[in-house]
Amino acid sequence: LISTDAATVQAMAHTHGHDDDDDTLVEMLDLDAEVLHQFWSDVLGEVRRTIEEPTVIVDLGAGTGTGTVNLVRTFPRATVTAIDASEQMLHRIRHKAAALGLTGRVRTVQADLDTAWPVDGPVDLTWASKSLHHLADPDRLLPQVLASTRPGGVFAVIELTDPLRFLPDDLGLGRPGLEQRCLDVLRDEQAAALPHLGSDWPGRMAAAGFTLLGQHELAIDVTPQGPAALRYAQLWLQRLRSGVADRLAPDDADILSRLLDPSAPETLTNRGDLHIRGTRTLTLAARS
Ligand SMILES: C[S@@+](CC[C@H](N)C(=O)[O-])C[C@H]1O[C@@H](n2cnc3c(N)ncnc32)[C@H](O)[C@@H]1O
């Protein structure tokens, strides 16, 4: 979560509205694709090893199209249907597809996956990245995915374990462990807002009738160098602050504000010790 998910909690609270939170989420998802490109390339590599030449692909909770765009590029004969509840996200995908000359291979469908299942099938590959934990009842959706998958077809699920980390334990400011204390507060908030986050996805997929093919814990380890990575860190920590600041000790809230104040000497972009690190899981399963 917060990486993109604290942002999503807030964006989804506005359902189909359009506001600054939505704009920030769009920017964060695009930066996630750019800054963590090695992670995405690792994921695509595993998926490519699992399924040969899918032509019908569905991207569930597609966001700004990180999966959609990577999938059409990875599988040159495929058409990808991107499904999301947010029209703003789908608009961004159409814009990207047009800019990349991929319009004919990308279709967008607006649907709330908690209430609708707009997939006809048979589908060769279904991709769900950081989206299943947003659903009210993922166990309702999983059998629908299975039913739409052709025999031998694959379901690839990318999910979050722990939130990404950006800061060193000792900032040389205030008490060591600021980020950990923020994440402890965040974990409590997320337990209530996103009860499926970090759940046993392989177990749930198997219970729905999928045959498990592989589980991968893929590492994220990026030293921010360019402006995109610094912007990603800044947005992430801004989101973290908006989610947890009122439950932090005053000295911690003050340090966080100074890190995020572009005019403060301690501002993030003046630091040379940011390090983006964490893991995400990829579960691959097939319909027998
Ligand atoms: C954290 S984003 C992930 C986006 C993208 N898959 C990625 O990996 O970058 C979660 C996405 O799921 C979408 N979403 C959440 N709940 C949904 C629902 N019930 N039906 C359809 N889409 C949903 C959100 O609009 C958002 O775009």
Side-chain angles (χ1 to χ4, degrees), residues 31-40 164 220 222 232 280:
L31 287 168
D32 190 281
E34 182 179 345
V35 176
L36 309 185
H37 61 90
Q38 184 58 54
F39 163 78
W40 290 109
L164 294 177
I220 290 167
V222 175
Y232 185 61
R280 291 177 183 169

Side-chain angles (χ1 to χ4, degrees), residues 27 121 133 152 173 184:
E27 187 181 0
H133 66 264
L173 290 169
D184 290 344

Side-chain angles (χ1 to χ4, degrees), residues 17-20 26 29 41 51 71 76 82 86 94 98 109 111 159 167 170 174 213 216 224 228 241 252 268:
H18 178 175
D19 61 19
D20 291 349
V26 165
L29 291 174
S41 158
I51 184 161
L71 288 162
S86 157
R94 288 190 295 272
V109 175
E159 275 294 336
L167 301 176
D170 187 354
L213 300 174
H216 306 270
R241 180 178 57 172
D252 279 347
L268 275 187

